[in-house]
Amino acid sequence: MRKIILLLGLVLGINSFSQNVGYKNPVISGFYPDPSVCRVGDDFYLVNSSFQFFPGVPIFHSKDLVHWEQIGNVLNRPSQLYLKDAASWAGIYAPTIRYHKGTFYMITTNCSDKGNFIVHTTDPSASWSDPIWLKQGGIDPSLYFEDEKCYLVSNPSDCIYLSEINPKTGEQLSESKALWTGTGGRYPEAPHIYKKDGWYYLLISEGGTEMGHKVTIARSKNIDGPYTPNPSNPILTHIDQQAQSNPIQGTGHADLVQAQDGSWWMVFLAFRQQSGAHHLLGRETFLAPVSWEKNAWPVVNGNGMVHVDMNVPTLPQQPYALKPIRTVFDGATLGHEWMYLRNPIAENYKFTKKGIQMHGTSSNLDSWTTPPTGLFRRQQHIQFTSGTCLELEKGKPGDEAGLTLYREFHSHYDLFVRQESDKQQAVVLRYQLGELKHIEKVIPIPCGKVKLQISGEADNYIFRYAVEDNPFVEIDKMNTKYLSTETVGGFTGMVIGMYATSPTDSKNTATFEYFDYKGK
């Protein structure tokens, strides 16, 4: 009997331990770059940059650093987020989230407005304050709290600067002082300060957010320096030969957090390549364990490299329920994952029992000034299938509504229904690639409901349609690499959108019943 009990205990112990070992990177997939994290008790909170999209700065919650659930968007009011004329290289840059004495603070840069600002709240899933604007410039601002003092670091003039501020008023209480220019890599940025064992550690990123991205660190006994670099810098990079075949590249822009069990972890951005040396999903959020002995330098995952399959001990894992494949638009609110291009025009959207109605205007997907009528969500998997059922009503010839694979105003693939006459419509496949704009296919269909579907794989996007209850018909394929960061540029990743436009401002009504998204 004793042997049975011991064996049962061993089995239960192994099962319990196995549940806390291993995870897959990225931990937040799709265009969720520039992660910053903080811990409050047993809870972790993480924010990402959002650039030209509204609402801005998605915020996530986790119990284990591996599984994350979006609980809102920090900047969800026009008074907080002004995005006029913002393209994919503008808008909201890298944020930092910190917690101090009952208050959460988020600091970031709006490159389409007045620069660096802070918002705060006591409940991160609820409303945050309006912006408090700051004097010190640069991008990637971060906060460090010590006793009753709050310090700001950012990177004006390709150097990390420090000043003391009042986080509730924005008043700068000391002159900005230069701390460190890094190890010689271009674009020293993403600074964060931590204190451990009597040392102030200054973590930054260098090399640009591309293949040569890396994380470096320095330390000092005084917060204002001088800072001595780690002789083993960089502590995270995939620029070396040993990582040249790793599917994860461009590792950088990191933040450190200590878990409740004393372990240290790093969240950072990187991208996954597909179709050769191209990446489309944007910069995603990754996780790595960190060894940080007393009075020593932090070591990331043993050798400064990470992998998709991370066979390492974790905190007790607490996964969230999977999201449903289908989003039915029969309510008055949208899930936190949905976004608009720039500040939306509210009267162009209406929730009904049939779905969400979008009213098309003359502003189309090629515009980077007046926002088009459209709803967008991130592509999060290299292999996926998405789709919708829509009906274009009250349209005039030339009006259109459908799906778009959107990278930038000058680069997108569109599958849509176009009004041809009072009794005739067409399914159209079109591409816009820089100065090249071409209609690939036009398929006449009767007026009424139409199902549109887009699937993705490493090398191609596949476009299909169906009328009534007929099976889907493949229209054509288009090459993924023409929408990659290497081709298009910019700081964002692929998003999938439902949209409506009208060249004559006819205010057509496009009703979208649902949206499906299934990743592999």
Side-chain angles (χ1 to χ4, degrees):
M1 184 67 181
R2 183 181 178 187
K3 289 182 178 179
I4 294 175
I5 293 173
L6 288 173
L7 181 61
L8 180 61
L10 179 61
V11 171
L12 291 173
I14 291 173
N15 286 337
S16 175
F17 180 72
S18 67
Q19 291 175 358
N20 302 328
V21 175
Y23 62 92
K24 283 187 175 293
N25 269 317
V27 290
I28 306 178
S29 60
F31 152 55
Y32 290 103
D34 307 319
S36 174
V37 64
C38 73
R39 179 176 68 89
V40 182
D42 294 336
D43 299 283
F44 298 92
Y45 298 92
L46 182 146
V47 291
N48 301 100
S49 53
S50 50
F51 297 95
Q52 70 197 105
F53 291 99
F54 183 96
V57 186
I59 180 166
F60 292 83
H61 171 260
S62 176
K63 286 286 190 178
D64 57 17
L65 289 168
V66 172
H67 302 94
W68 294 91
E69 180 181 54
Q70 189 173 354
I71 59 173
N73 293 277
V74 174
L75 308 175
N76 58 16
R77 304 190 301 274
S79 61
Q80 297 171 308
L81 182 55
Y82 179 75
L83 292 171
K84 182 176 173 57
D85 299 345
S88 65
W89 54 83
I92 295 295
Y93 278 30
T96 295
I97 186 170
R98 293 293 184 258
Y99 177 81
H100 182 67
K101 294 187 175 181
T103 300
F104 291 86
Y105 297 86
M106 191 282 298
I107 182 171
T108 188
T109 311
N110 188 343
C111 293
S112 299
D113 202 351
K114 293 180 286 189
N116 292 331
F117 67 91
I118 299 174
V119 293
H120 57 82
T121 186
T122 57
D123 181 354
S125 64
S127 294
W128 292 65
S129 71
D130 279 346
I132 300 162
W133 299 98
L134 303 170
K135 176 182 176 182
Q136 184 168 298
I139 60 170
D140 304 351
S142 181
L143 298 176
Y144 170 73
F145 290 90
E146 186 170 25
D147 299 325
E148 299 304 315
K149 293 186 176 183
C150 176
Y151 296 92
L152 160 69
V153 281
S154 62
N155 74 333
S157 304
D158 282 334
C159 178
I160 308 304
Y161 278 76
L162 172 84
S163 62
E164 185 184 348
I165 64 168
N166 183 326
K168 291 295 181 67
T169 67
E171 179 185 4
Q172 186 164 321
L173 304 177
S174 68
E175 290 298 318
S176 299
K177 179 177 180 180
L179 296 185
W180 192 38
T181 58
T183 63
R186 61 178 180 166
Y187 307 130
E189 56 193 12
H192 296 298
I193 288 179
Y194 316 89
K195 191 174 186 181
K196 185 177 182 295
D197 307 324
W199 291 94
Y200 293 95
Y201 288 85
L202 176 57
L203 184 82
I204 73 168
S205 291
E206 304 180 46
T209 184
E210 299 148 7
M211 294 291 284
H213 215 20
K214 57 186 176 181
V215 177
T216 57
I217 196 166
R219 69 182 183 182
S220 173
K221 284 292 186 179
N222 301 301
I223 193 167
D224 58 354
Y227 280 84
T228 302
N230 179 0
S232 297
N233 276 326
I235 61 171
L236 172 69
T237 188
H238 279 197
I239 196 174
D240 297 329
Q241 186 180 29
Q242 61 180 340
Q244 66 184 14
S245 60
N246 195 311
I248 301 170
Q249 294 294 331
T251 55
H253 201 112
D255 198 3
L256 290 163
V257 66
Q258 188 175 29
Q260 56 270 38
D261 65 353
S263 63
W264 283 89
W265 297 85
M266 175 180 282
V267 295
F268 58 96
L269 67 75
F271 53 81
R272 290 179 289 164
Q273 293 183 315
Q274 64 184 87
S275 193
H278 294 266
H279 75 278
L280 284 90
L281 302 190
R283 297 164 298 161
E284 306 173 284
T285 293
F286 291 74
L287 176 71
V290 175
S291 173
W292 201 348
E293 301 297 332
K294 186 175 181 179
N295 291 317
W297 297 98
V299 178
V300 180
N301 197 34
N303 62 356
M305 288 177 51
V306 295
H307 305 279
V308 171
D309 293 303
M310 296 290 292
N311 186 25
V312 298
T314 69
L315 300 176
Q317 294 194 20
Q318 302 184 47
Y320 292 99
L322 295 176
K323 281 187 169 292
I325 293 171
R326 175 160 295 182
T327 299
V328 180
F329 300 108
D330 58 357
T333 58
L334 293 167
H336 299 310
E337 70 273 20
W338 290 100
M339 311 174 293
Y340 304 90
L341 264 173
R342 300 178 289 281
N343 299 98
I345 300 172
E347 58 264 31
N348 290 337
Y349 305 85
K350 183 180 179 180
F351 287 96
T352 71
K353 292 182 179 179
K354 294 182 179 180
I356 186 167
Q357 290 183 345
M358 298 190 196
H359 300 297
T361 70
S362 58
S363 180
N364 58 38
L365 297 171
D366 303 343
S367 170
W368 62 289
T369 52
T370 306
T373 303
L375 275 173
F376 302 82
R377 60 149 294 159
R378 293 159 175 86
Q379 177 188 336
Q380 294 185 272
H381 304 81
I382 294 173
Q383 293 181 303
F384 74 96
T385 297
S386 63
T388 190
C389 179
L390 71 94
E391 185 171 8
L392 178 60
E393 304 173 272
K394 302 177 183 178
K396 293 184 177 180
D399 289 358
E400 64 182 67
L403 295 176
T404 180
L405 286 164
Y406 185 91
R407 186 52 187 268
E408 182 58 292
F409 67 90
H410 53 67
S411 298
H412 46 90
Y413 293 157
D414 311 319
L415 175 64
F416 58 94
V417 176
R418 185 175 67 192
Q419 194 74 32
E420 305 286 71
S421 66
D422 290 344
K423 297 182 179 181
Q424 187 72 52
Q425 294 180 338
V427 172
V428 182
L429 178 60
R430 175 182 63 203
Y431 64 76
Q432 169 85 45
L433 297 172
E435 298 177 353
L436 302 176
K437 188 172 186 176
H438 178 69
I439 291 178
E440 189 74 9
K441 292 285 177 65
V442 178
I443 303 168
I445 59 169
C447 295
K449 292 184 180 180
V450 183
K451 296 176 183 177
L452 303 178
Q453 186 183 87
I454 301 175
S455 297
E457 53 189 27
D459 298 324
N460 293 291
Y461 289 114
I462 303 99
F463 301 86
R464 303 179 181 92
Y465 82 101
V467 176
E468 297 179 347
D469 294 326
N470 295 317
F472 278 99
V473 177
E474 183 174 318
I475 303 172
D476 210 339
K477 297 179 179 181
M478 288 191 180
N479 200 307
T480 57
K481 67 183 178 183
Y482 297 124
L483 294 181
S484 70
T485 296
E486 288 72 20
T487 304
V488 177
F491 295 145
T492 58
M494 290 299 303
V495 297
I496 308 163
M498 302 172 293
Y499 77 97
T501 68
S502 172
T504 60
D505 272 325
S506 70
K507 291 289 183 180
N508 64 57
T509 299
T511 302
F512 295 83
E513 290 185 16
Y514 60 81
F515 183 87
D516 290 342
Y517 182 90
K518 182 180 181 181
K520 296 180 182 178

